[in-house]
Amino acid sequence: MISDRAVGAGCFADMSKISDWLARNRDWARRFRAENPQRASELAAGQAPSVFWIGCSDSRLDPCVVMDLQPGEVFVHRNIANTVPPSDLGVLSAVQFAVGVLRVSRIVVCGHYGCGGIDAALGGDLPGPLGQWVDQVRESVRINQDELDSLDGADRHRRLVELHVCEQIRRLGHNRTVRQAWEEGSLLELHGWVLDVADFIIRPLCTQKHEGGLTYVAGGGSPLPA
Ligand code: CO
């Protein structure tokens, strides 16, 4: 569940941290420019990332940290439970910009075990916008109800994390901007991944390219669906 504790644990941090954060930023920026002068001046002129990451907002899943990347290398959209709802302007505009303007060659959807949004989708109704959002995540439960009904506890959670990632890849495969890029000859690839917060290792789950539908990666995640 998205419990009060999970949501609120960081809310009472000492405000003096604000000045700490700004000081750390200045130190980091100075160091980054000193160590990568050419890269820093390139980045001042613009960005040319090759990958678009759609991930969970969870504080443990910063893509630059977990893939050991630098500023400028990954275009990012994050929301609760890495979801691509068919009418969400936030994520759809990010897809349009990443694919149509930045011309990224890969889109990654990365979910994670231990996801509060996925737990919420398996639980009861929640009030407010969070409840409405979780209901969109719940679409992956409805689609895979039979398989999920055969599992319980941690197995059920982990399987929904995986199925939800693959469902978002399937949706992206039907996305208007993605289809148009493929029709124009783009080699754009879609990749579904899952990160295990127990060891921070990312495992590939599924891929989709222009030719052929969604392909499950052998050995990725839980046993493959029939
Ligand atoms: Co999450």
Side-chain angles (χ1 to χ4, degrees):
M1 286 298 294
I2 298 183
S3 67
D4 289 341
R5 187 157 178 271
V7 171
C11 288
F12 305 106
D14 188 335
M15 286 300 285
S16 69
K17 276 209 169 168
I18 294 288
S19 56
D20 290 350
W21 294 329
L22 294 174
R24 287 175 69 105
N25 164 255
R26 283 191 295 274
D27 288 348
W28 172 84
R30 211 175 288 126
R31 204 165 57 242
F32 179 70
R33 290 198 310 272
E35 290 170 1
N36 311 274
Q38 190 181 338
R39 185 75 179 134
S41 61
E42 286 168 8
L43 290 175
Q47 62 168 336
S50 60
V51 57
F52 174 33
W53 168 284
I54 300 173
C56 186
S57 298
D58 190 291
S59 59
R60 296 165 290 186
L61 268 91
D62 184 311
C64 282
V65 173
V66 299
M67 294 193 292
D68 197 15
L69 296 177
Q70 294 281 355
E73 293 189 279
V74 53
F75 189 71
V76 177
H77 183 88
R78 295 170 71 183
N79 59 37
I80 291 174
N82 40 271
T83 303
V84 185
S87 58
D88 181 70
L89 289 179
V91 67
L92 294 182
S93 59
V95 172
Q96 185 182 345
F97 188 72
V99 174
V101 179
L102 296 175
R103 308 262 176 215
V104 297
S105 56
R106 309 274 193 283
I107 301 178
V108 165
V109 175
C110 189
H112 66 106
Y113 302 128
C115 182
I118 291 295
D119 266 348
L122 289 168
D125 289 342
L126 294 168
L130 182 56
Q132 291 177 41
W133 183 261
V134 167
D135 202 43
Q136 305 201 71
V137 177
R138 211 167 267 144
E139 182 65 16
S140 295
V141 179
R142 288 189 274 271
I143 293 168
N144 299 284
Q145 193 77 60
D146 289 347
E147 182 180 355
L148 292 168
D149 281 350
S150 69
L151 302 168
D152 47 31
D155 290 341
R156 194 159 184 252
H157 169 92
R158 289 170 73 91
R159 192 60 187 141
L160 180 56
V161 168
E162 297 164 3
L163 291 167
H164 183 66
V165 165
C166 294
E167 185 55 31
Q168 308 321 300
I169 293 294
R170 206 186 310 275
R171 284 181 182 176
L172 286 169
H174 292 111
N175 175 275
R176 188 184 188 143
T177 313
V178 169
R179 302 297 318 177
Q180 192 178 331
W182 279 337
E183 280 156 24
E184 290 170 356
S186 165
L187 298 177
L188 175 68
E189 296 177 2
L190 314 179
H191 294 266
W193 291 354
V194 63
L195 180 143
D196 194 336
V197 289
D199 58 10
F200 283 92
I201 299 292
I202 293 171
R203 293 174 177 82
L205 294 170
C206 57
T207 61
Q208 187 165 355
K209 300 173 186 174
H210 184 199
E211 302 298 333
L214 186 139
T215 307
Y216 293 96
V217 175
S222 304
L224 300 179

